[in-house]
PDB file of all heavy atoms in Angstrom:
ATOM      1  N   ILE X 186     -19.305   8.430  14.205  1.00 97.00           N
ATOM      2  CA  ILE X 186     -18.894   9.113  15.435  1.00 97.00           C
ATOM      3  C   ILE X 186     -19.623  10.428  15.596  1.00 97.00           C
ATOM      4  O   ILE X 186     -20.196  10.717  16.664  1.00 97.00           O
ATOM      5  CB  ILE X 186     -17.329   9.332  15.396  1.00 97.00           C
ATOM      6  CG1 ILE X 186     -16.642   7.993  15.454  1.00 97.00           C
ATOM      7  CG2 ILE X 186     -16.929  10.234  16.610  1.00 97.00           C
ATOM      8  CD1 ILE X 186     -15.139   8.076  15.119  1.00 97.00           C
ATOM      9  N   GLU X 187     -19.665  11.233  14.536  1.00 97.00           N
ATOM     10  CA  GLU X 187     -20.347  12.530  14.588  1.00 97.00           C
ATOM     11  C   GLU X 187     -21.839  12.401  14.867  1.00 97.00           C
ATOM     12  O   GLU X 187     -22.365  13.152  15.670  1.00 97.00           O
ATOM     13  CB  GLU X 187     -20.157  13.242  13.238  1.00 97.00           C
ATOM     14  CG  GLU X 187     -20.807  14.591  13.132  1.00 97.00           C
ATOM     15  CD  GLU X 187     -20.704  15.136  11.760  1.00 97.00           C
ATOM     16  OE1 GLU X 187     -19.613  15.560  11.315  1.00 97.00           O
ATOM     17  OE2 GLU X 187     -21.750  15.175  11.044  1.00 97.00           O
ATOM     18  N   GLN X 188     -22.487  11.437  14.216  1.00 97.00           N
ATOM     19  CA  GLN X 188     -23.899  11.252  14.336  1.00 97.00           C
ATOM     20  C   GLN X 188     -24.304  10.230  15.398  1.00 97.00           C
ATOM     21  O   GLN X 188     -25.487   9.908  15.589  1.00 97.00           O
ATOM     22  CB  GLN X 188     -24.503  10.845  12.983  1.00 97.00           C
ATOM     23  CG  GLN X 188     -24.278  11.806  11.866  1.00 97.00           C
ATOM     24  CD  GLN X 188     -25.016  13.114  12.060  1.00 97.00           C
ATOM     25  OE1 GLN X 188     -26.122  13.133  12.681  1.00 97.00           O
ATOM     26  NE2 GLN X 188     -24.440  14.203  11.610  1.00 97.00           N
ATOM     27  N   ASP X 189     -23.305   9.699  16.102  1.00 97.00           N
ATOM     28  CA  ASP X 189     -23.511   8.770  17.261  1.00 97.00           C
ATOM     29  C   ASP X 189     -24.289   7.539  16.769  1.00 97.00           C
ATOM     30  O   ASP X 189     -25.240   7.062  17.404  1.00 97.00           O
ATOM     31  CB  ASP X 189     -24.258   9.454  18.410  1.00 97.00           C
ATOM     32  CG  ASP X 189     -24.244   8.612  19.674  1.00 97.00           C
ATOM     33  OD1 ASP X 189     -23.271   7.876  19.820  1.00 97.00           O
ATOM     34  OD2 ASP X 189     -25.205   8.662  20.432  1.00 97.00           O
ATOM     35  N   ARG X 190     -23.873   6.969  15.647  1.00 98.00           N
ATOM     36  CA  ARG X 190     -24.513   5.736  15.119  1.00 98.00           C
ATOM     37  C   ARG X 190     -23.865   4.526  15.796  1.00 98.00           C
ATOM     38  O   ARG X 190     -22.673   4.432  15.797  1.00 98.00           O
ATOM     39  CB  ARG X 190     -24.370   5.630  13.646  1.00 98.00           C
ATOM     40  CG  ARG X 190     -24.999   6.776  12.820  1.00 98.00           C
ATOM     41  CD  ARG X 190     -26.425   6.818  12.939  1.00 98.00           C
ATOM     42  NE  ARG X 190     -26.892   7.836  13.904  1.00 98.00           N
ATOM     43  CZ  ARG X 190     -28.153   8.059  14.221  1.00 98.00           C
ATOM     44  NH1 ARG X 190     -29.132   7.340  13.659  1.00 98.00           N
ATOM     45  NH2 ARG X 190     -28.464   8.968  15.108  1.00 98.00           N
ATOM     46  N   LYS X 191     -24.624   3.637  16.339  1.00 98.00           N
ATOM     47  CA  LYS X 191     -24.126   2.433  16.991  1.00 98.00           C
ATOM     48  C   LYS X 191     -24.248   1.175  16.141  1.00 98.00           C
ATOM     49  O   LYS X 191     -23.714   0.120  16.481  1.00 98.00           O
ATOM     50  CB  LYS X 191     -24.852   2.221  18.318  1.00 98.00           C
ATOM     51  CG  LYS X 191     -24.698   3.358  19.319  1.00 98.00           C
ATOM     52  CD  LYS X 191     -23.239   3.620  19.631  1.00 98.00           C
ATOM     53  CE  LYS X 191     -23.090   4.734  20.660  1.00 98.00           C
ATOM     54  NZ  LYS X 191     -21.650   5.085  20.880  1.00 98.00           N
ATOM     55  N   VAL X 192     -24.980   1.264  15.037  1.00 98.00           N
ATOM     56  CA  VAL X 192     -25.191   0.127  14.118  1.00 98.00           C
ATOM     57  C   VAL X 192     -25.133   0.639  12.698  1.00 98.00           C
ATOM     58  O   VAL X 192     -25.718   1.701  12.376  1.00 98.00           O
ATOM     59  CB  VAL X 192     -26.562  -0.553  14.363  1.00 98.00           C
ATOM     60  CG1 VAL X 192     -26.731  -1.722  13.458  1.00 98.00           C
ATOM     61  CG2 VAL X 192     -26.707  -0.971  15.799  1.00 98.00           C
ATOM     62  N   VAL X 193     -24.422  -0.117  11.851  1.00 98.00           N
ATOM     63  CA  VAL X 193     -24.404   0.215  10.393  1.00 98.00           C
ATOM     64  C   VAL X 193     -24.934  -1.022   9.664  1.00 98.00           C
ATOM     65  O   VAL X 193     -24.478  -2.140   9.920  1.00 98.00           O
ATOM     66  CB  VAL X 193     -22.939   0.498   9.926  1.00 98.00           C
ATOM     67  CG1 VAL X 193     -22.919   0.633   8.395  1.00 98.00           C
ATOM     68  CG2 VAL X 193     -22.427   1.767  10.577  1.00 98.00           C
ATOM     69  N   ILE X 194     -25.917  -0.818   8.817  1.00 98.00           N
ATOM     70  CA  ILE X 194     -26.423  -1.873   7.932  1.00 98.00           C
ATOM     71  C   ILE X 194     -26.075  -1.506   6.493  1.00 98.00           C
ATOM     72  O   ILE X 194     -26.519  -0.476   6.054  1.00 98.00           O
ATOM     73  CB  ILE X 194     -27.967  -2.070   8.118  1.00 98.00           C
ATOM     74  CG1 ILE X 194     -28.227  -2.462   9.538  1.00 98.00           C
ATOM     75  CG2 ILE X 194     -28.460  -3.191   7.135  1.00 98.00           C
ATOM     76  CD1 ILE X 194     -29.735  -2.669   9.860  1.00 98.00           C
ATOM     77  N   LEU X 195     -25.301  -2.341   5.846  1.00 98.00           N
ATOM     78  CA  LEU X 195     -24.851  -2.106   4.491  1.00 98.00           C
ATOM     79  C   LEU X 195     -25.679  -2.967   3.524  1.00 98.00           C
ATOM     80  O   LEU X 195     -25.539  -4.218   3.583  1.00 98.00           O
ATOM     81  CB  LEU X 195     -23.366  -2.430   4.341  1.00 98.00           C
ATOM     82  CG  LEU X 195     -22.757  -2.202   2.947  1.00 98.00           C
ATOM     83  CD1 LEU X 195     -22.855  -0.770   2.476  1.00 98.00           C
ATOM     84  CD2 LEU X 195     -21.309  -2.726   2.928  1.00 98.00           C
ATOM     85  N   ASP X 196     -26.378  -2.360   2.652  1.00 97.00           N
ATOM     86  CA  ASP X 196     -27.303  -3.021   1.727  1.00 97.00           C
ATOM     87  C   ASP X 196     -26.939  -2.614   0.307  1.00 97.00           C
ATOM     88  O   ASP X 196     -27.451  -1.592  -0.161  1.00 97.00           O
ATOM     89  CB  ASP X 196     -28.756  -2.665   2.040  1.00 97.00           C
ATOM     90  CG  ASP X 196     -29.760  -3.438   1.195  1.00 97.00           C
ATOM     91  OD1 ASP X 196     -29.357  -4.295   0.400  1.00 97.00           O
ATOM     92  OD2 ASP X 196     -30.980  -3.118   1.364  1.00 97.00           O
ATOM     93  N   ASN X 197     -26.136  -3.345  -0.410  1.00 93.00           N
ATOM     94  CA  ASN X 197     -25.648  -4.657  -0.079  1.00 93.00           C
ATOM     95  C   ASN X 197     -24.184  -4.780  -0.491  1.00 93.00           C
ATOM     96  O   ASN X 197     -23.619  -3.835  -1.042  1.00 93.00           O
ATOM     97  CB  ASN X 197     -26.499  -5.769  -0.779  1.00 93.00           C
ATOM     98  CG  ASN X 197     -26.513  -5.605  -2.280  1.00 93.00           C
ATOM     99  OD1 ASN X 197     -25.493  -5.669  -2.977  1.00 93.00           O
ATOM    100  ND2 ASN X 197     -27.693  -5.320  -2.826  1.00 93.00           N
ATOM    101  N   LEU X 198     -23.599  -5.900  -0.268  1.00 94.00           N
ATOM    102  CA  LEU X 198     -22.143  -6.118  -0.497  1.00 94.00           C
ATOM    103  C   LEU X 198     -21.779  -5.972  -1.967  1.00 94.00           C
ATOM    104  O   LEU X 198     -20.784  -5.329  -2.291  1.00 94.00           O
ATOM    105  CB  LEU X 198     -21.768  -7.545  -0.015  1.00 94.00           C
ATOM    106  CG  LEU X 198     -20.303  -7.919  -0.053  1.00 94.00           C
ATOM    107  CD1 LEU X 198     -19.501  -6.998   0.852  1.00 94.00           C
ATOM    108  CD2 LEU X 198     -20.138  -9.332   0.407  1.00 94.00           C
ATOM    109  N   SER X 199     -22.562  -6.523  -2.875  1.00 92.00           N
ATOM    110  CA  SER X 199     -22.246  -6.475  -4.287  1.00 92.00           C
ATOM    111  C   SER X 199     -22.221  -5.068  -4.855  1.00 92.00           C
ATOM    112  O   SER X 199     -21.313  -4.752  -5.655  1.00 92.00           O
ATOM    113  CB  SER X 199     -23.271  -7.377  -5.063  1.00 92.00           C
ATOM    114  OG  SER X 199     -23.014  -7.297  -6.418  1.00 92.00           O
ATOM    115  N   THR X 200     -23.185  -4.234  -4.502  1.00 94.00           N
ATOM    116  CA  THR X 200     -23.298  -2.923  -5.057  1.00 94.00           C
ATOM    117  C   THR X 200     -22.532  -1.873  -4.271  1.00 94.00           C
ATOM    118  O   THR X 200     -22.119  -0.822  -4.750  1.00 94.00           O
ATOM    119  CB  THR X 200     -24.738  -2.455  -5.174  1.00 94.00           C
ATOM    120  OG1 THR X 200     -25.378  -2.610  -3.907  1.00 94.00           O
ATOM    121  CG2 THR X 200     -25.467  -3.311  -6.222  1.00 94.00           C
ATOM    122  N   GLY X 201     -22.215  -2.153  -2.983  1.00 94.00           N
ATOM    123  CA  GLY X 201     -21.578  -1.213  -2.106  1.00 94.00           C
ATOM    124  C   GLY X 201     -20.074  -1.352  -2.091  1.00 94.00           C
ATOM    125  O   GLY X 201     -19.344  -0.386  -1.699  1.00 94.00           O
ATOM    126  N   ILE X 202     -19.537  -2.528  -2.461  1.00 92.00           N
ATOM    127  CA  ILE X 202     -18.115  -2.712  -2.406  1.00 92.00           C
ATOM    128  C   ILE X 202     -17.673  -3.267  -3.793  1.00 92.00           C
ATOM    129  O   ILE X 202     -17.920  -4.466  -4.095  1.00 92.00           O
ATOM    130  CB  ILE X 202     -17.698  -3.680  -1.322  1.00 92.00           C
ATOM    131  CG1 ILE X 202     -18.026  -3.040   0.023  1.00 92.00           C
ATOM    132  CG2 ILE X 202     -16.216  -3.975  -1.345  1.00 92.00           C
ATOM    133  CD1 ILE X 202     -17.723  -3.889   1.259  1.00 92.00           C
ATOM    134  N   ARG X 203     -17.100  -2.436  -4.645  1.00 90.00           N
ATOM    135  CA  ARG X 203     -16.772  -2.782  -5.994  1.00 90.00           C
ATOM    136  C   ARG X 203     -15.246  -2.771  -6.234  1.00 90.00           C
ATOM    137  O   ARG X 203     -14.517  -2.121  -5.513  1.00 90.00           O
ATOM    138  CB  ARG X 203     -17.457  -1.854  -6.979  1.00 90.00           C
ATOM    139  CG  ARG X 203     -18.947  -1.794  -6.793  1.00 90.00           C
ATOM    140  CD  ARG X 203     -19.628  -1.022  -7.930  1.00 90.00           C
ATOM    141  NE  ARG X 203     -19.078   0.301  -8.156  1.00 90.00           N
ATOM    142  CZ  ARG X 203     -19.348   1.388  -7.455  1.00 90.00           C
ATOM    143  NH1 ARG X 203     -20.182   1.274  -6.395  1.00 90.00           N
ATOM    144  NH2 ARG X 203     -18.797   2.536  -7.727  1.00 90.00           N
ATOM    145  N   GLY X 204     -14.847  -3.477  -7.276  1.00 85.00           N
ATOM    146  CA  GLY X 204     -13.406  -3.508  -7.603  1.00 85.00           C
ATOM    147  C   GLY X 204     -12.618  -4.479  -6.678  1.00 85.00           C
ATOM    148  O   GLY X 204     -11.378  -4.455  -6.700  1.00 85.00           O
ATOM    149  N   VAL X 205     -13.333  -5.283  -5.928  1.00 81.00           N
ATOM    150  CA  VAL X 205     -12.690  -6.304  -5.045  1.00 81.00           C
ATOM    151  C   VAL X 205     -13.043  -7.678  -5.588  1.00 81.00           C
ATOM    152  O   VAL X 205     -14.231  -7.982  -5.767  1.00 81.00           O
ATOM    153  CB  VAL X 205     -13.191  -6.136  -3.615  1.00 81.00           C
ATOM    154  CG1 VAL X 205     -12.633  -7.258  -2.757  1.00 81.00           C
ATOM    155  CG2 VAL X 205     -12.745  -4.783  -3.039  1.00 81.00           C
ATOM    156  N   ARG X 206     -12.083  -8.483  -5.892  1.00 77.00           N
ATOM    157  CA  ARG X 206     -12.331  -9.794  -6.416  1.00 77.00           C
ATOM    158  C   ARG X 206     -12.974 -10.665  -5.326  1.00 77.00           C
ATOM    159  O   ARG X 206     -12.417 -10.893  -4.287  1.00 77.00           O
ATOM    160  CB  ARG X 206     -11.029 -10.470  -6.906  1.00 77.00           C
ATOM    161  CG  ARG X 206     -10.456  -9.771  -8.127  1.00 77.00           C
ATOM    162  CD  ARG X 206      -9.075 -10.301  -8.481  1.00 77.00           C
ATOM    163  NE  ARG X 206      -8.144  -9.902  -7.435  1.00 77.00           N
ATOM    164  CZ  ARG X 206      -6.831 -10.213  -7.470  1.00 77.00           C
ATOM    165  NH1 ARG X 206      -6.322 -10.877  -8.475  1.00 77.00           N
ATOM    166  NH2 ARG X 206      -6.018  -9.785  -6.479  1.00 77.00           N
ATOM    167  N   GLU X 207     -14.183 -11.100  -5.662  1.00 71.00           N
ATOM    168  CA  GLU X 207     -15.032 -11.795  -4.642  1.00 71.00           C
ATOM    169  C   GLU X 207     -14.351 -13.016  -4.071  1.00 71.00           C
ATOM    170  O   GLU X 207     -14.472 -13.332  -2.886  1.00 71.00           O
ATOM    171  CB  GLU X 207     -16.329 -12.185  -5.255  1.00 71.00           C
ATOM    172  CG  GLU X 207     -17.334 -11.035  -5.366  1.00 71.00           C
ATOM    173  CD  GLU X 207     -18.745 -11.477  -5.729  1.00 71.00           C
ATOM    174  OE1 GLU X 207     -18.867 -12.547  -6.375  1.00 71.00           O
ATOM    175  OE2 GLU X 207     -19.687 -10.795  -5.352  1.00 71.00           O
ATOM    176  N   ASN X 208     -13.639 -13.759  -4.927  1.00 68.00           N
ATOM    177  CA  ASN X 208     -13.141 -15.064  -4.513  1.00 68.00           C
ATOM    178  C   ASN X 208     -11.694 -15.018  -4.054  1.00 68.00           C
ATOM    179  O   ASN X 208     -11.076 -16.023  -3.772  1.00 68.00           O
ATOM    180  CB  ASN X 208     -13.293 -16.073  -5.631  1.00 68.00           C
ATOM    181  CG  ASN X 208     -14.718 -16.350  -5.953  1.00 68.00           C
ATOM    182  OD1 ASN X 208     -15.537 -16.563  -5.044  1.00 68.00           O
ATOM    183  ND2 ASN X 208     -15.074 -16.492  -7.196  1.00 68.00           N
ATOM    184  N   GLU X 209     -11.144 -13.794  -3.879  1.00 74.00           N
ATOM    185  CA  GLU X 209      -9.759 -13.644  -3.439  1.00 74.00           C
ATOM    186  C   GLU X 209      -9.785 -13.080  -2.005  1.00 74.00           C
ATOM    187  O   GLU X 209     -10.149 -11.952  -1.735  1.00 74.00           O
ATOM    188  CB  GLU X 209      -9.024 -12.662  -4.334  1.00 74.00           C
ATOM    189  CG  GLU X 209      -8.812 -13.195  -5.772  1.00 74.00           C
ATOM    190  CD  GLU X 209      -7.827 -14.379  -5.771  1.00 74.00           C
ATOM    191  OE1 GLU X 209      -6.980 -14.492  -4.859  1.00 74.00           O
ATOM    192  OE2 GLU X 209      -8.048 -15.213  -6.693  1.00 74.00           O
ATOM    193  N   GLY X 210      -9.463 -13.935  -1.059  1.00 69.00           N
ATOM    194  CA  GLY X 210      -9.492 -13.553   0.371  1.00 69.00           C
ATOM    195  C   GLY X 210      -8.569 -12.358   0.656  1.00 69.00           C
ATOM    196  O   GLY X 210      -8.905 -11.512   1.478  1.00 69.00           O
ATOM    197  N   PHE X 211      -7.448 -12.310  -0.024  1.00 77.00           N
ATOM    198  CA  PHE X 211      -6.505 -11.240   0.275  1.00 77.00           C
ATOM    199  C   PHE X 211      -7.146  -9.814  -0.081  1.00 77.00           C
ATOM    200  O   PHE X 211      -6.856  -8.858   0.612  1.00 77.00           O
ATOM    201  CB  PHE X 211      -5.197 -11.404  -0.521  1.00 77.00           C
ATOM    202  CG  PHE X 211      -4.141 -10.379  -0.228  1.00 77.00           C
ATOM    203  CD1 PHE X 211      -3.416 -10.414   0.950  1.00 77.00           C
ATOM    204  CD2 PHE X 211      -3.929  -9.287  -1.107  1.00 77.00           C
ATOM    205  CE1 PHE X 211      -2.427  -9.465   1.227  1.00 77.00           C
ATOM    206  CE2 PHE X 211      -2.995  -8.326  -0.822  1.00 77.00           C
ATOM    207  CZ  PHE X 211      -2.234  -8.400   0.380  1.00 77.00           C
ATOM    208  N   ASP X 212      -7.970  -9.801  -1.141  1.00 80.00           N
ATOM    209  CA  ASP X 212      -8.600  -8.540  -1.521  1.00 80.00           C
ATOM    210  C   ASP X 212      -9.508  -8.000  -0.447  1.00 80.00           C
ATOM    211  O   ASP X 212      -9.876  -6.833  -0.476  1.00 80.00           O
ATOM    212  CB  ASP X 212      -9.393  -8.747  -2.829  1.00 80.00           C
ATOM    213  CG  ASP X 212      -8.514  -8.753  -4.058  1.00 80.00           C
ATOM    214  OD1 ASP X 212      -7.243  -8.904  -3.855  1.00 80.00           O
ATOM    215  OD2 ASP X 212      -8.953  -8.721  -5.165  1.00 80.00           O
ATOM    216  N   TRP X 213      -9.965  -8.883   0.438  1.00 85.00           N
ATOM    217  CA  TRP X 213     -10.938  -8.457   1.474  1.00 85.00           C
ATOM    218  C   TRP X 213     -10.179  -7.845   2.656  1.00 85.00           C
ATOM    219  O   TRP X 213     -10.809  -7.232   3.526  1.00 85.00           O
ATOM    220  CB  TRP X 213     -11.693  -9.700   1.966  1.00 85.00           C
ATOM    221  CG  TRP X 213     -12.812  -9.467   2.917  1.00 85.00           C
ATOM    222  CD1 TRP X 213     -12.816  -9.801   4.240  1.00 85.00           C
ATOM    223  CD2 TRP X 213     -14.030  -8.792   2.653  1.00 85.00           C
ATOM    224  NE1 TRP X 213     -13.973  -9.412   4.835  1.00 85.00           N
ATOM    225  CE2 TRP X 213     -14.768  -8.770   3.900  1.00 85.00           C
ATOM    226  CE3 TRP X 213     -14.629  -8.230   1.550  1.00 85.00           C
ATOM    227  CZ2 TRP X 213     -16.049  -8.233   4.032  1.00 85.00           C
ATOM    228  CZ3 TRP X 213     -15.891  -7.624   1.658  1.00 85.00           C
ATOM    229  CH2 TRP X 213     -16.579  -7.705   2.883  1.00 85.00           C
ATOM    230  N   GLU X 214      -8.850  -7.885   2.720  1.00 88.00           N
ATOM    231  CA  GLU X 214      -8.099  -7.431   3.873  1.00 88.00           C
ATOM    232  C   GLU X 214      -8.395  -5.962   4.163  1.00 88.00           C
ATOM    233  O   GLU X 214      -8.582  -5.611   5.356  1.00 88.00           O
ATOM    234  CB  GLU X 214      -6.595  -7.604   3.613  1.00 88.00           C
ATOM    235  CG  GLU X 214      -6.128  -9.031   3.662  1.00 88.00           C
ATOM    236  CD  GLU X 214      -6.226  -9.636   5.043  1.00 88.00           C
ATOM    237  OE1 GLU X 214      -6.160  -8.921   6.029  1.00 88.00           O
ATOM    238  OE2 GLU X 214      -6.419 -10.902   5.127  1.00 88.00           O
ATOM    239  N   GLY X 215      -8.461  -5.122   3.171  1.00 88.00           N
ATOM    240  CA  GLY X 215      -8.722  -3.671   3.393  1.00 88.00           C
ATOM    241  C   GLY X 215     -10.075  -3.442   3.976  1.00 88.00           C
ATOM    242  O   GLY X 215     -10.288  -2.533   4.796  1.00 88.00           O
ATOM    243  N   ILE X 216     -11.087  -4.228   3.553  1.00 92.00           N
ATOM    244  CA  ILE X 216     -12.430  -4.099   4.106  1.00 92.00           C
ATOM    245  C   ILE X 216     -12.431  -4.621   5.529  1.00 92.00           C
ATOM    246  O   ILE X 216     -13.041  -4.022   6.428  1.00 92.00           O
ATOM    247  CB  ILE X 216     -13.426  -4.933   3.238  1.00 92.00           C
ATOM    248  CG1 ILE X 216     -13.257  -4.724   1.756  1.00 92.00           C
ATOM    249  CG2 ILE X 216     -14.840  -4.619   3.682  1.00 92.00           C
ATOM    250  CD1 ILE X 216     -13.469  -3.230   1.310  1.00 92.00           C
ATOM    251  N   GLN X 217     -11.773  -5.745   5.769  1.00 92.00           N
ATOM    252  CA  GLN X 217     -11.814  -6.351   7.105  1.00 92.00           C
ATOM    253  C   GLN X 217     -11.135  -5.457   8.139  1.00 92.00           C
ATOM    254  O   GLN X 217     -11.577  -5.379   9.275  1.00 92.00           O
ATOM    255  CB  GLN X 217     -11.061  -7.697   7.025  1.00 92.00           C
ATOM    256  CG  GLN X 217     -11.402  -8.597   8.181  1.00 92.00           C
ATOM    257  CD  GLN X 217     -11.591 -10.045   7.739  1.00 92.00           C
ATOM    258  OE1 GLN X 217     -12.590 -10.376   7.148  1.00 92.00           O
ATOM    259  NE2 GLN X 217     -10.672 -10.881   8.052  1.00 92.00           N
TER     260      GLN X 217
END
Side-chain angles (χ1 to χ4, degrees):
I186 294 166
E187 178 189 288
Q188 301 293 328
D189 192 31
R190 301 295 98 183
K191 300 301 183 186
V192 181
V193 174
I194 299 179
L195 178 63
D196 184 4
N197 58 63
L198 186 61
S199 178
T200 54
I202 298 177
R203 305 189 307 279
V205 174
R206 292 171 293 181
E207 284 191 331
N208 294 318
E209 295 293 331
F211 184 78
D212 283 11
W213 186 250
E214 288 293 331
I216 313 299
Q217 199 138 290

